[in-house]
Amino acid sequence: MIEKHVKSGEIYIVSTPIGHLDDITERARQVLCQVDLICAEDTRHSGRLLEAIGSKVPMMALHEHNEAQKADSIIERLAQGQSLALISDAGTPLISDPGYVLVNHVIAAGYRVVPVPGVSAVVTALSVAGLPTDRWLFEGFLPSKSSARIKRFEALEKQKCTVVFYESSHRIEKSLEDMVLVFGDQRPVSVARELTKNFETVLRGTLGEVLEQVQADSNQQKGEFVVVLGGFVEEEKDLLTDPTIILLAKELQQALPPKKAATILAKVFGGHKRDYYNLILSFDHE
Ligand code: SAM
């Protein structure tokens, strides 16, 4: 007997592959074969996926322009006891894709919204970027105009966590150029292109190096991209060679024991007490 993966009156938010068809999960396949109706962003595009997995379930087009309008008829179907699925062209619905308005309406109407998780380009890119993943910020798509993009970057200039952007082929070079303008050419970055597809490449290095590689090879400007940018790192000033600090340390040394002077210097300027202590002791040998 075939196990039933869906219940009536529920909507399943199903992740689909971002390239490699085998990345669909078994549960996603079952749900997409068993629901009564699939809401898809582009029915022609998703038709190919459904054919590949052997699903004959009918589809309804649901995109950002008709989402609010379709929500009522979808809720009506749930009320009748139908089970539904929502998919997008690739990856996880709602992640830079339609679905938020629908999910919000369905929750408000009191029906269950069930996740069927899988791939998303943002997490896939982070997993191979080689940059810190303990804290990250997803910024989605960047503005298409350079001036608006630069403004967005400026707001992120001192962001300490890793920042992830989605980008399309015709803008990758320009976006990287704008990043160099704001973040400088030394900031670490990873540009993941065509993940899980035949021409998958992941460039890693400083912004200056990666921009150079993208500019030198037009193939590196084709396809879909995730840009993973390393966070802002506060440069440690070399406190111990700062003339003002040295002068003050010498003055304090005249009036206070070295330990006390070192404590005060660390409190005022930051850094380690021990380093100031060693600095003060070094004066004795001058
Ligand atoms: N919902 C999708 C997800 O979960 O990742 C994102 C959809 S959004 C409309 C499409 C953007 O995602 C692309 O422009 C690109 O930035 C990124 N993307 C999707 N597939 C990708 C892939 N195979 N390689 C690199 N980036 C990809």
Side-chain angles (χ1 to χ4, degrees), residues 18-19 88 90-93 95-97 119-122 141 166-168 192-197 224-226:
I18 56 168
S88 58
T92 301
I95 306 302
S96 293
D97 264 339
V119 189
S120 187
V122 49
F141 281 109
Y166 277 172
E167 194 50 282
S168 62
R193 180 177 81 99
E194 295 289 86
L195 287 162
T196 77
K197 302 184 197 175
E224 298 189 282
F225 299 85
V226 183

Side-chain angles (χ1 to χ4, degrees), residues 4-63:
K4 200 85 176 123
H5 282 263
V6 299
K7 291 194 188 129
S8 75
E10 294 189 345
I11 183 160
Y12 297 83
I13 312 302
V14 183
S15 299
T16 58
I18 56 168
H20 202 304
L21 269 186
D22 290 349
D23 288 337
I24 191 148
T25 68
E26 181 53 23
R27 182 165 166 241
R29 209 177 67 74
Q30 297 289 349
V31 168
L32 293 177
C33 288
Q34 292 177 8
V35 286
D36 297 304
L37 181 76
I38 296 170
C39 305
E41 215 183 336
D42 176 342
T43 51
R44 238 185 21 192
H45 175 94
S46 292
R48 291 193 284 274
L49 171 77
L50 296 190
E51 198 184 324
I53 63 168
S55 167
K56 296 196 166 30
V57 173
M59 279 185 284
M60 171 204 269
L62 186 123
H63 40 76

Side-chain angles (χ1 to χ4, degrees), residues 25-259:
T25 68
E26 181 53 23
R27 182 165 166 241
R29 209 177 67 74
Q30 297 289 349
V31 168
L32 293 177
C33 288
Q34 292 177 8
V35 286
D36 297 304
L37 181 76
I38 296 170
C39 305
E41 215 183 336
D42 176 342
T43 51
R44 238 185 21 192
H45 175 94
S46 292
R48 291 193 284 274
L49 171 77
L50 296 190
E51 198 184 324
I53 63 168
S55 167
K56 296 196 166 30
V57 173
M59 279 185 284
M60 171 204 269
L62 186 123
H63 40 76
E64 57 177 328
H65 304 296
N66 71 357
E67 213 180 324
Q69 177 200 332
K70 291 273 168 159
D72 286 345
S73 76
I74 288 168
I75 290 167
E76 183 61 38
R77 284 170 185 269
L78 292 169
Q80 288 162 7
Q82 288 193 14
S83 57
L84 276 75
L86 171 70
I87 56 175
S88 58
D89 285 354
T92 301
L94 280 85
I95 306 302
S96 293
D97 264 339
Y100 163 67
V101 175
L102 174 66
V103 165
N104 192 261
H105 276 63
V106 173
I107 292 169
Y111 293 95
R112 247 191 105 203
V113 181
V114 184
V116 182
V119 189
S120 187
V122 49
V123 174
T124 310
L126 275 165
S127 72
V128 293
L131 289 165
T133 51
D134 51 340
R135 285 179 64 230
W136 49 272
L137 176 69
F138 179 53
E139 278 284 318
F141 281 109
L142 288 161
S144 52
K145 282 205 177 122
S146 178
S147 55
R149 226 169 21 233
I150 287 176
K151 250 194 193 146
R152 174 92 72 92
F153 292 153
E154 281 169 350
L156 295 164
E157 202 183 337
K158 298 274 161 70
Q159 180 55 252
K160 288 187 176 147
C161 66
T162 298
V163 186
V164 188
F165 306 97
Y166 277 172
E167 194 50 282
S168 62
S169 41
H170 47 284
R171 277 203 300 265
I172 186 68
E173 188 187 354
K174 290 263 167 286
S175 286
L176 288 172
E177 281 172 6
D178 289 344
M179 281 187 187
V180 169
L181 275 182
V182 178
F183 303 111
D185 60 2
Q186 290 306 305
R187 190 70 82 89
V189 73
S190 160
V191 174
R193 180 177 81 99
E194 295 289 86
L195 287 162
T196 77
K197 302 184 197 175
N198 284 343
F199 296 106
E200 175 183 283
T201 40
V202 182
L203 303 178
R204 303 178 186 90
T206 63
L207 265 173
E209 289 164 350
V210 169
L211 173 62
E212 231 179 78
Q213 289 183 67
V214 169
Q215 283 171 333
D217 179 359
S218 62
N219 284 325
Q220 292 301 332
Q221 297 166 24
K222 293 179 190 151
E224 298 189 282
F225 299 85
V226 183
V227 180
V228 183
L229 182 72
F232 173 75
V233 179
E234 198 104 42
E235 261 180 55
E236 276 207 16
K237 275 193 289 172
D238 196 356
L239 298 167
L240 305 181
T241 57
D242 185 313
T244 313
I245 295 177
I246 292 176
L247 186 68
L248 189 63
K250 283 185 172 166
E251 291 299 317
L252 286 174
Q253 181 209 20
Q254 308 291 325
L256 297 168
K259 258 194 188 166

